[in-house]
Amino acid sequence: MSDMGSHNFPAARPLPEVDEESEVPVAEAPASPASTPKRSEGHKIGEVIEIAGSSSRIVLDAAVLASLADHDDATVKMAGQVGSQIKIRVGATWLLANIRTQRLYEGQSGLIIAEIDFLGEGDEERLTGHIYNFRRGVTRYPVPGSVAYAVTTADLKQVYASDGRANVEIGMVYPTDDIRGALYVDAMLGKHFALLGSTGTGKSTSAALILHKICDLAPEGHILMIDPHGEYSAAFKGNGKLFDVNNLALPYWLMNFREHCEVFVQSTGDAKQTDCDILAKCLLAAKAKSQAAQGIAKLTVDSPVPYLLSDLTTIIQNEMGKLDKSTNSAPYMRLKTKIDEIKADPRYSFMFSGMLVGDTMADFLSKIFRLPAEGKPISIIDVSAMPSEITPTVVAVLSRLVFDYAIWAKNEPKRPVLLVCEEAHRYIPNDDVGGESSVRDILSRIAKEGRKYGVSLGLITQRPSDLAEGVLSQCGTILSMRLNNDRDQAFVKAAMPEGARGFLDSIPALRNREIICCGEGVAIPIRVSLDTLIEERRPASEDPVFSELWREHGGEEEIIQRVVKRWRSQGR
């Protein structure tokens, strides 16, 4: 293998028919480790046969790869495998590339053709030959015939070494046991991130781990998390504020006109437009009666001004009695009945209570956005006990408040906010799954424009293929756990940057609590075995152990009684 650079490998595509008589490159038996001189370059494993922009091809010697399988260095031991890295010298720099695919070189059993994606380049230390000062991108490509070397753990340590940027360590880089995998916080949050993984892969625990690390790094941060299952309250009781239907107190008048329509207007088709027109007129009149509206020159139906629901129903009633109205009384009755119904329903009291009429907007924004954070930088909004028909509207209001606050605070000292949305496919569904909704539109808008205003979006989902098209591609950092569904894998593949494609084959084969990180938040794509969270920092999302729990018995009557009582009182 030592004179591999002298072999003349034919072009890989199309591959020529080769018979046994013809002259073909024959892989040399590797020299025994004892006789191999120590060289600074490392282990030669192949050479470049084709260069094509981001994706190129090399030929590998299977015998040499086999001889490295027992190497002491865990990284060298993985040399040549899909998802592993190689290095190629170009002048005084080392190019780093990722192996994407492999196949046998037809007609020559000892050789393997591999497609590679270039990741970046680093300078060479003169004494050791190791890589340092690694950066993304390629300034100069190698030429066919250049030798490919196995990457060592020492090389990877230099590549993953923090370059002074703020970072959080989340686990060990696979396959090493001493290189820490880190995420660059500013790059990850500045361009949004997505955490993906099938149910049961440890997604909630991974999300909790990453958010805990960010909270530890920035105890005066501003993080808002939508928790649809009530899992995260247990994890963040020490360093976060927890809100649910009992203490959220979200004033109904913070809704904009579109959100009002989603809650109060139940009709469809032409009748819906009629109802919305009536609601717009009456809502503006109700807001104009408010004391808080005094002195506002440009009052609109979207202005977040406190008003009385009783004023709104009275105005609707008065409009219905007018003889010159353009329609019959049915739309007015529909609106009034719906508003009265919501006012009387105790399930909606967290939002439509008569106690929420005061002008509490500043206090509400302060407590929800953690301004000031007071050492508790994360707000967990538990929406699990809310009526399912209003949950999307609540998420829409909270998300829009984050975005609107950022817009109107543009000339103030910057206070960036991170909005984390668990079960994101519920709220940003694609066209096949869901129609128009305010929550989908505002989250899509934050994905596209949020970073200009200091709003970061974190999407957590088990069904990336159900997300609205384009939202995942707006996420600069993708953190993928195991995905079992072919459609989801294809969707993630389309969103992943070129250099990470080699990792995609391992997505279905990842173990629990293993994660592939690629994009802006990491130096190069990495596979990480995540740290274990201490018990009190874990979310309440453990899978039930049927074999043990089904052996337990006793006290079932009392359990039923307590559950029925909670059920009837809707958790109060």
Side-chain angles (χ1 to χ4, degrees):
M1 191 62 205
S2 57
D3 62 344
M4 186 156 195
S6 64
H7 289 324
N8 294 315
F9 293 101
R13 189 185 292 137
L15 285 168
E17 292 291 321
V18 181
D19 62 44
E20 292 179 1
E21 309 294 327
S22 62
E23 290 185 16
V24 290
V26 178
E28 294 178 8
S32 65
S35 64
T36 306
K38 293 250 179 197
R39 295 181 57 117
S40 61
E41 290 95 337
H43 304 273
K44 298 178 183 179
I45 58 172
E47 69 177 30
V48 177
I49 57 171
E50 185 182 337
I51 293 290
S54 62
S55 172
S56 304
R57 277 190 287 189
I58 59 171
V59 63
L60 300 169
D61 189 319
V64 171
L65 298 183
S67 75
L68 296 176
D70 298 322
H71 200 278
D72 296 338
D73 188 327
T75 310
V76 175
K77 191 186 290 186
M78 293 281 293
Q81 291 192 22
V82 168
S84 68
Q85 286 85 34
I86 58 153
K87 59 181 182 178
I88 302 164
R89 181 189 269 122
V90 180
T93 61
W94 282 111
L95 273 189
L96 216 67
N98 200 52
I99 294 181
R100 189 200 297 190
T101 63
Q102 289 182 338
R103 62 186 169 85
L104 206 58
Y105 190 174
E106 293 152 29
Q108 183 65 29
S109 59
L111 300 177
I112 296 165
I113 300 287
E115 287 198 15
I116 59 170
D117 295 313
F118 290 112
L119 299 170
E121 60 189 15
D123 300 323
E124 180 183 20
E125 285 183 356
R126 287 190 175 176
L127 292 175
T128 63
H130 292 157
I131 299 170
Y132 76 101
N133 187 26
F134 180 81
R135 60 262 176 201
R136 280 195 178 170
V138 178
T139 50
R140 189 173 152 204
Y141 285 99
V143 295
S146 301
V147 179
Y149 297 91
V151 168
T152 64
T153 298
D155 292 328
L156 290 185
K157 277 184 177 170
Q158 289 294 325
V159 171
Y160 297 135
S162 169
D163 52 8
R165 289 187 282 171
N167 64 85
V168 291
E169 295 181 349
I170 58 171
M172 288 293 177
V173 175
Y174 178 86
T176 69
D177 54 10
D178 60 346
I179 299 181
R180 299 288 289 157
L183 297 171
Y184 294 124
V185 176
D186 297 325
M188 182 175 89
L189 300 186
K191 293 184 180 173
H192 313 311
F193 70 92
L195 174 59
L196 318 169
S198 296
T199 307
T201 54
K203 197 165 67 279
S204 302
T205 311
S206 307
L209 170 71
I210 292 166
L211 291 174
H212 272 304
K213 296 274 187 178
I214 292 172
C215 289
D216 294 344
L217 179 76
E220 293 301 313
H222 314 286
I223 305 171
L224 180 68
M225 180 173 206
I226 309 294
D227 177 11
H229 302 302
E231 294 176 323
Y232 293 91
S233 299
F236 291 95
K237 55 181 180 283
N239 58 349
K241 280 284 189 182
L242 316 175
F243 299 97
D244 58 15
V245 289
N246 298 315
N247 66 343
L248 179 60
L250 171 62
Y252 58 87
W253 47 264
L254 283 177
M255 294 190 294
N256 66 14
F257 176 62
R258 185 174 178 187
E259 291 149 4
H260 271 91
C261 288
E262 283 187 359
V263 179
F264 293 152
V265 177
Q266 302 297 300
S267 51
T268 56
D270 293 341
K272 180 175 184 178
Q273 187 57 53
T274 305
D275 291 10
C276 289
D277 291 343
I278 293 167
L279 180 60
K281 183 179 178 182
C282 298
L283 184 59
L284 187 58
K287 286 185 173 182
K289 285 184 73 172
S290 163
Q291 209 163 2
Q294 308 305 316
I296 298 177
K298 295 178 180 176
L299 186 70
T300 71
V301 282
D302 284 333
S303 301
V305 170
Y307 70 91
L308 289 167
L309 281 173
S310 54
D311 279 350
L312 179 58
T313 50
T314 304
I315 291 165
I316 291 172
Q317 181 89 41
N318 293 342
E319 287 290 321
M320 183 170 63
K322 288 183 178 176
L323 296 175
D324 61 347
K325 62 181 184 290
S326 59
T327 178
N328 59 21
S329 299
Y332 298 90
M333 282 306 298
R334 277 198 299 266
L335 280 172
K336 185 174 180 301
T337 306
K338 184 64 184 176
I339 295 168
D340 289 340
E341 181 188 305
I342 286 174
K343 270 170 67 180
D345 192 334
R347 296 178 305 154
Y348 292 91
S349 61
F350 72 92
M351 192 171 180
F352 292 94
S353 161
M355 307 297 289
L356 299 175
V357 177
D359 189 357
T360 54
M361 187 171 178
D363 293 340
F364 181 77
L365 295 179
S366 176
K367 75 174 183 179
I368 293 294
F369 297 165
R370 311 307 306 133
L371 292 164
E374 297 169 340
K376 294 195 170 185
I378 187 166
S379 290
I380 304 293
I381 314 288
D382 177 1
V383 298
S384 59
M386 293 177 187
S388 56
E389 58 268 23
I390 202 171
T391 306
T393 308
V394 171
V395 177
V397 172
L398 294 169
S399 306
R400 185 182 49 75
L401 287 175
V402 171
F403 191 61
D404 283 356
Y405 175 81
I407 288 174
W408 295 111
K410 202 171 178 185
N411 298 324
E412 300 292 334
K414 271 243 160 60
R415 297 289 184 271
V417 179
L418 167 61
L419 175 64
V420 183
C421 197
E422 170 73 272
E423 297 282 7
H425 58 275
R426 280 194 194 181
Y427 306 117
I428 329 176
N430 59 30
D431 295 331
D432 301 336
V433 179
E436 286 294 306
S437 71
S438 55
V439 67
R440 174 184 157 169
D441 289 356
I442 186 60
L443 288 174
S444 296
R445 191 174 175 202
I446 290 174
K448 289 168 190 158
E449 304 172 32
R451 66 189 186 89
K452 299 174 190 168
Y453 301 102
V455 178
S456 178
L457 188 61
L459 301 177
I460 305 172
T461 178
Q462 57 192 333
R463 292 304 307 272
S465 59
D466 285 347
L467 281 175
E469 199 175 346
V471 169
L472 197 58
S473 59
Q474 298 287 341
C475 296
T477 306
I478 293 180
L479 312 169
S480 180
M481 306 190 78
R482 187 172 70 247
L483 287 166
N484 301 326
N485 185 292
D486 289 346
R487 201 160 141 255
D488 290 332
Q489 290 166 25
F491 205 78
V492 175
K493 186 171 185 175
M496 272 196 175
E498 277 291 321
R501 300 283 169 92
F503 284 95
L504 285 164
D505 296 331
S506 57
I507 283 181
L510 290 174
R511 294 174 295 187
N512 282 3
R513 295 183 47 253
E514 274 196 343
I515 193 166
I516 286 172
C517 312
C518 65
E520 303 288 336
V522 283
I524 64 170
I526 50 173
R527 177 172 168 181
V528 177
S529 196
L530 292 167
D531 292 339
T532 304
L533 262 180
I534 55 173
E535 192 66 44
E536 58 265 28
R537 285 191 154 200
R538 285 185 203 162
S541 60
E542 294 293 311
D543 293 333
V545 185
F546 287 81
S547 58
E548 291 178 14
L549 295 175
W550 278 359
R551 289 196 187 107
E552 297 175 7
H553 60 90
E556 281 82 1
E557 293 85 355
E558 293 83 359
I559 291 173
I560 291 280
Q561 293 297 328
R562 288 195 297 269
V563 169
V564 168
K565 188 177 178 184
R566 277 198 300 272
W567 198 338
R568 283 183 175 154
S569 62
Q570 296 293 308
R572 290 180 178 76

